[in-house]
């Protein structure tokens, strides 16, 4: 398939792409604007990337929207982030329905304000029978927290000697395809507590582009780069050498 001038192999699309959407604050600072303007511009990028993901037939897109560490930010910034999320839910509802998109959340949303939490839950419910792209919004999410809550559930059930496959049933991502590709924008070369378990064999794509400037085209180029990598999963593929 050729899309926006980029040739992609439909058969080897990644099943699941994760994105650490970083650089909103710096984008705003560079323009002499308050950080919240960067988040607003970042929310527009979310719309563009969701649109192109659905278009190419991606199965799952995980977006790191708010980490367990983000509570340390100024109150005003936290409020803006959640208000952008509520706006997104409101303005994108029909689009998501029309495009057969499903929404799930990773993270502990019991800590969110009631308004945000209930509008998220309502939207997830409305989209639950959709069969196209799944957006996995990671909110109040931390990879270590995810693993610990899984361990605690296992302990409370008195399970012993669980296997990897059994353990995975207690992760937020249970039922989603393997995380094939993880993109991080803004030039930071870290995983920052995102999908620690799921990233065991993930391919990484780091770019200096700040999240508000991340285009559909660069997203497709990241997928193209993924398709050019040789994944071995710890094995040797070519036994002749
Ligand atoms: C990182 O930029 C970004 C975030 C902490 C939040 C991501 C949120 C959005 C893209 C907008 C809302 C989301 C949805 C789903 C509508 P940063 O502030 O850490 O940037 P910096 O490192 O340059 O300071």
């Amino acid at each position: 398939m050729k899309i926006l001038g980029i040739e992609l192999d439909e058969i080897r699309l990644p099943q699941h792409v994760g994105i650490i959407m970083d650089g909103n604050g710096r984008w705003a600072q560079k323009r002499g604007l308050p950080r919240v303007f960067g988040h607003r511009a970042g929310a527009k990028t979310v719309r563009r990337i969701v649109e192109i993901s659905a278009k190419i037939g991606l199965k799952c897109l995980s977006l790191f929207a708010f980490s367990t560490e983000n509570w340390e930010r100024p109150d005003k910034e936290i409020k803006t982030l959640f208000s952008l999320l509520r706006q997104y839910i409101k303005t994108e509802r029909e689009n998501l329905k029309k495009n057969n998109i499903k929404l799930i959340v990773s993270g502990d949303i019991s800590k969110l304000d009631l308004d945000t939490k209930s509008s998220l839950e309502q939207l997830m419910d409305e989209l639950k029978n959709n069969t196209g792209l799944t957006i996995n919004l990671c909110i109040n999410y931390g990879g270590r927290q995810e693993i610990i809550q899984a361990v605690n559930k296992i302990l409370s059930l008195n399970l012993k000697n669980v296997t990897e496959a059994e353990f995975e049933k207690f992760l937020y991502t249970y039922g989603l395809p393997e995380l094939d590709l993880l993109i991080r924008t803004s030039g930071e070369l870290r995983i920052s507590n995102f999908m620690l378990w799921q990233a065991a064999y993930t391919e990484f794509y780091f770019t200096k582009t700040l999240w508000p400037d991340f285009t559909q085209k660069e997203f497709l180029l990241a997928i193209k780069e993924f398709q050019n990598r040789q994944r071995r999963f710890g094995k040797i593929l070519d036994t002749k050498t």
Side-chain angles (χ1 to χ4, degrees), residues 15-162:
Q15 296 273 301
H16 182 175
V17 178
I19 310 185
I20 302 178
M21 311 181 284
D22 199 6
N24 293 348
R26 275 164 285 167
W27 183 91
Q29 272 155 11
K30 258 177 45 182
R31 288 164 174 75
L33 298 167
R35 293 175 57 80
V36 294
F37 282 75
H39 295 313
R40 227 170 272 162
K44 288 192 185 141
T45 308
V46 171
R47 289 187 176 90
R48 290 197 295 268
I49 299 305
V50 166
E51 181 193 295
I52 193 77
S53 298
K55 206 170 192 171
I56 62 171
L58 199 74
K59 285 259 174 319
C60 182
L61 179 70
S62 286
L63 297 172
F64 203 3
F66 195 87
S67 76
T68 45
E69 290 75 30
N70 286 153
W71 295 109
E72 310 290 323
R73 295 193 174 201
D75 228 32
K76 185 164 175 260
E77 187 170 339
I78 297 175
K79 285 214 170 80
T80 303
L81 284 169
F82 286 115
S83 117
L84 282 170
L85 180 62
R86 286 193 302 274
Q87 252 176 50
Y88 181 83
I89 292 170
K90 219 185 255 168
T91 57
E92 292 306 294
R93 167 171 268 113
E94 289 313 312
N95 242 339
L96 297 172
K97 276 191 195 160
K98 199 174 72 203
N99 290 308
N100 195 21
I101 294 173
K102 187 172 164 169
L103 178 72
I104 63 159
V105 165
S106 285
D108 177 10
I109 59 165
S110 70
K111 301 282 181 299
L112 305 193
D113 65 274
L114 212 61
D115 197 10
T116 310
K117 186 173 168 283
S118 56
S119 51
L120 253 177
E121 281 167 345
Q122 198 194 327
L123 183 60
M124 284 194 280
D125 192 55
E126 283 172 28
L127 304 176
K128 71 172 186 271
N129 295 323
N130 285 352
T131 53
L133 171 73
T134 297
I135 303 175
N136 172 32
L137 261 190
C138 304
I139 304 174
N140 192 21
Y141 173 84
R144 289 183 176 175
Q145 186 275 338
E146 179 183 29
I147 291 170
I148 289 294
Q149 64 79 38
V151 169
N152 285 327
K153 277 190 194 141
I154 288 167
L155 291 173
S156 72
L157 293 169
N158 272 322
L159 297 173
K160 302 259 171 357
N161 294 318
V162 291

